[in-house]
Amino acid sequence: MKIGVIGTGYVGLVTGTCFADSGNDVICVDIDEKKVERMRKGEVPIYEPGLNRVFDRAIRENRLVFTTNLDKAFQESEIIFLCLPTPPGADGQADLSFVLNVADQLGNLFNKYPGYRVIVNKSTVPVGTADKVHEKIAAKTDHEFDVVSNPEFLREGAAVEDFMKPERVVVGTRSQKAAEMMTALYEPFVRSGNPIIIMDERSSELTKYAANAMLATKITFMNEIANICEKVGANVDNVRRGIGTDSRIGKRFLFAGIGYGGSCFPKDVQAIHHTAGEYGYNFRILDSVMKVNEYQKVSIVEKMKLYYNGKLEGKTIGIWGLSFKPETDDIREAPALYITEELAKLGVKMKAYDPEAIETFKEASSDEALANIEFMDDRDSVINDVDALVICTEWNEFRRPDLSRFPKAMKEPVVFDGRNLYDLNRAEEAGLIYISVGRPSVNI
Ligand SMILES: NC(=O)c1ccc[n+]([C@@H]2O[C@H](COP(=O)([O-])OP(=O)(O)OC[C@H]3O[C@@H](n4cnc5c(N)ncnc54)[C@H](O)[C@@H]3O)[C@@H](O)[C@H]2O)c1
């Protein structure tokens, strides 16, 4: 099939590359000229495990091309995926301007290059957006087309695998023709029997928000349990094992930590909360989820204040991990952003390391924070001569360091672990003063 992909961010680039890998001809459009130039030269502009290999193959076989020219992509495509940003706008409402501006241009293009096409919203968009996109296009043309909702469930860090082997594909359309084309396109990805679930557009749009809101709530619930564990002297690891074995609850998304971040959960929770409000419904549980998560992100700074009796000024603190989760360079809404900003305000100097996200982190940080952070090339040099270490992201290389080195290298071997990476006995034996989330502190 001939596929157009508009927007080549985390979702668009993975979508385009994976469709090309399954034998389709894909043309990707982006307005970012530098990015398009890099991709044309065969460079993958984001860090995503496994993407390079599939990308190289698709380029080599000439099935994946990049352009800044929307006309060209439209002309050559039967199915056009909108993988555009939908950032939070005023009051947490999803900003649809990127999607609707492109929809507006598509209307004119139908007149220029007639022929039936399916326009697919892959961006995460509020209920009713398929209708809005339809209206925008129909206002400009009488040609036949369908607008389909096809939310994306990939996880950054495992995006290629998720796209290639989705647990389900959700397609929102009431058009038989569009449903058949979407089914044909996705069939190679669900050969092991996972379902392609066809439903109406609105249910499909809501499904994506419901999934993210449910996962954010599950994480937040566990963070609340962790906070209670700290008060009552329980260990959240034990509680997690105790409840995760219950199949009604399940083992995943039960790890306590310093809050959820990333480009999806925070904005999608806000957006569905806002949509509910627009329809006169107060989505109360999400009010709490957002409040708890806001606190959770900086809860580690509160623990530091407590440990140092409020006197953090002049301390040098090491930071391990800047991305919002491992295996990505995405720092959107990353707890590390909030923690470093907060520490800079308190007069703390920092030494920070992340395997992939230093450049993206620099772009997103304030001048004040950057003036207080020295970025290091490796994990081990961060801990030399620091007063304490803060672990913000659970990259694999932070999981098994030689803990016995900490007391020798650091001024004081204090570790504030926002991701509960170390066994408490191991930390104790290594002589760490170890403060984690929802577990008893060690050597205090
Ligand atoms: N990142 C994820 O893990 C993820 C997962 C599922 C769904 N989503 C959703 O998918 C959508 C895209 O997310 P993303 O993370 O890929 O965004 P992103 O910000 O990484 O990428 C968006 C891309 O669109 C390009 N763009 C902007 N305006 C354009 C235009 N007029 N024409 C062509 N290109 C244009 C930008 O230059 C950028 O390259 C969002 O709605 C997001 O919520 C994201």
Side-chain angles (χ1 to χ4, degrees):
M1 282 179 164
K2 300 211 174 294
I3 309 294
V5 174
I6 307 181
T8 58
Y10 287 86
V11 168
L13 185 55
V14 171
T15 300
T17 306
C18 294
F19 281 143
D21 195 61
S22 64
N24 300 288
D25 291 315
V26 179
I27 177 159
C28 292
V29 193
D30 207 290
I31 44 166
D32 183 337
E33 289 178 13
K34 280 195 193 134
K35 197 187 226 183
V36 169
E37 208 38 55
R38 285 173 69 188
M39 294 187 289
R40 277 191 175 143
K41 286 185 189 145
E43 205 184 312
V44 176
I46 53 170
Y47 175 74
E48 188 56 55
L51 184 56
N52 274 75
R53 194 175 45 83
V54 196
F55 178 92
D56 289 348
R57 187 165 56 214
I59 299 241
R60 210 172 41 239
E61 292 175 5
N62 225 1
R63 284 202 298 271
L64 180 64
V65 292
F66 297 96
T67 181
T68 52
N69 187 337
L70 183 61
D71 268 48
K72 186 170 150 56
F74 185 90
Q75 194 180 0
E76 293 177 13
S77 307
E78 303 157 79
I79 306 184
I80 297 170
F81 283 83
L82 308 185
C83 302
L84 295 157
T86 48
D91 308 329
Q93 187 176 14
D95 174 359
L96 278 182
S97 58
F98 293 89
V99 171
L100 296 180
N101 284 341
V102 169
D104 211 33
Q105 296 175 58
L106 294 181
N108 292 326
L109 290 172
F110 269 102
N111 296 331
K112 215 163 156 188
Y113 309 106
Y116 174 79
R117 286 173 182 87
V118 178
I119 309 299
V120 186
N121 271 337
K122 200 169 239 330
S123 299
T124 303
V125 289
V127 175
T129 303
D131 293 341
K132 283 188 184 160
V133 170
H134 198 281
E135 275 165 29
K136 277 268 175 204
I137 299 174
K140 296 268 174 70
T141 186
D142 292 329
H143 288 283
E144 192 198 356
F145 68 94
D146 281 304
V147 178
V148 169
S149 158
N150 170 223
E152 180 50 57
F153 298 98
L154 62 76
R155 295 161 301 164
E156 285 179 22
V160 175
E161 201 190 326
D162 285 349
F163 198 95
M164 294 292 201
K165 292 179 192 157
E167 288 184 332
R168 82 304 206 182
V169 175
V170 171
V171 174
T173 181
R174 283 159 296 165
S175 150
Q176 173 109 20
K177 191 170 175 181
E180 279 167 13
M181 285 172 76
M182 294 296 285
T183 303
L185 179 64
Y186 273 110
E187 256 164 2
F189 299 91
V190 291
R191 287 168 53 104
S192 57
N194 286 344
I196 297 173
I197 308 169
I198 312 277
M199 57 179 81
D200 62 280
E201 297 83 346
R202 284 177 177 243
S203 302
S204 166
E205 289 164 341
L206 192 56
T207 297
K208 172 66 189 175
Y209 283 110
N212 277 358
M214 168 73 95
L215 294 171
T217 304
K218 197 172 176 190
I219 293 171
T220 305
F221 177 83
M222 217 46 205
N223 286 337
E224 288 271 71
I225 294 290
N227 295 343
I228 298 168
C229 284
E230 289 176 10
K231 301 268 180 223
V232 301
N235 182 332
V236 74
D237 279 347
N238 295 334
V239 179
R240 173 174 54 77
R241 280 195 292 270
I243 65 170
T245 39
D246 184 331
S247 62
R248 293 169 303 175
I249 295 172
K251 293 188 174 75
R252 299 174 70 188
F253 280 79
L254 288 185
F255 287 84
I258 45 173
Y260 60 78
S263 65
C264 293
F265 286 179
K267 88 172 166 57
D268 294 350
V269 168
Q270 277 183 45
I272 186 177
H273 182 263
H274 187 275
T275 300
E278 275 182 337
Y279 285 81
Y281 186 77
N282 181 9
F283 205 147
R284 283 156 293 185
I285 197 170
L286 294 186
D287 269 330
S288 304
V289 168
M290 288 188 281
K291 276 192 200 120
V292 173
N293 197 58
E294 210 171 293
Y295 166 76
Q296 203 68 17
K297 278 186 178 174
V298 288
S299 58
I300 214 155
V301 178
E302 294 306 314
K303 288 178 180 169
M304 295 170 81
K305 284 184 190 161
L306 209 62
Y307 182 78
Y308 291 112
N309 287 324
K311 296 187 188 103
L312 273 156
E313 194 173 353
K315 300 277 180 217
T316 305
I317 305 287
I319 310 279
W320 274 3
L322 301 171
S323 56
F324 85 92
K325 67 173 183 179
E327 300 298 335
T328 181
D329 59 356
D330 198 339
I331 48 68
R332 290 178 278 189
E333 296 294 321
L337 275 177
Y338 290 83
I339 290 165
T340 51
E341 295 288 339
E342 198 68 23
L343 290 178
K345 281 196 196 101
L346 294 168
V348 171
K349 295 279 175 214
M350 288 162 271
K351 286 163 73 174
Y353 167 71
D354 186 285
E356 296 293 340
I358 290 178
E359 290 314 313
T360 45
F361 189 83
K362 282 182 185 167
E363 283 163 26
S365 293
S366 72
D367 291 344
E368 186 186 9
L370 290 178
N372 288 286
I373 307 175
E374 182 185 358
F375 292 94
M376 312 302 287
D377 292 333
D378 62 85
R379 174 194 79 174
D380 292 339
S381 49
V382 166
I383 63 171
N384 291 334
D385 292 325
V386 290
D387 291 285
L389 175 70
V390 177
I391 303 176
C392 294
T393 319
E394 64 276 34
W395 283 94
N396 270 342
E397 65 178 276
F398 303 149
R399 289 181 186 274
R400 296 297 294 183
D402 176 4
L403 295 183
S404 66
R405 217 192 126 239
F406 285 42
K408 294 173 213 148
M410 298 166 73
K411 284 188 199 150
E412 194 187 17
V414 191
V415 177
F416 295 92
D417 183 356
R419 300 299 176 185
N420 289 356
L421 296 190
Y422 308 132
D423 175 71
L424 297 181
N425 292 330
R426 223 182 122 221
E428 188 165 19
E429 278 162 23
L432 302 191
I433 296 162
Y434 182 60
I435 298 158
S436 50
V437 183
R439 307 188 301 171
S441 296
V442 164
N443 288 327
I444 285 193

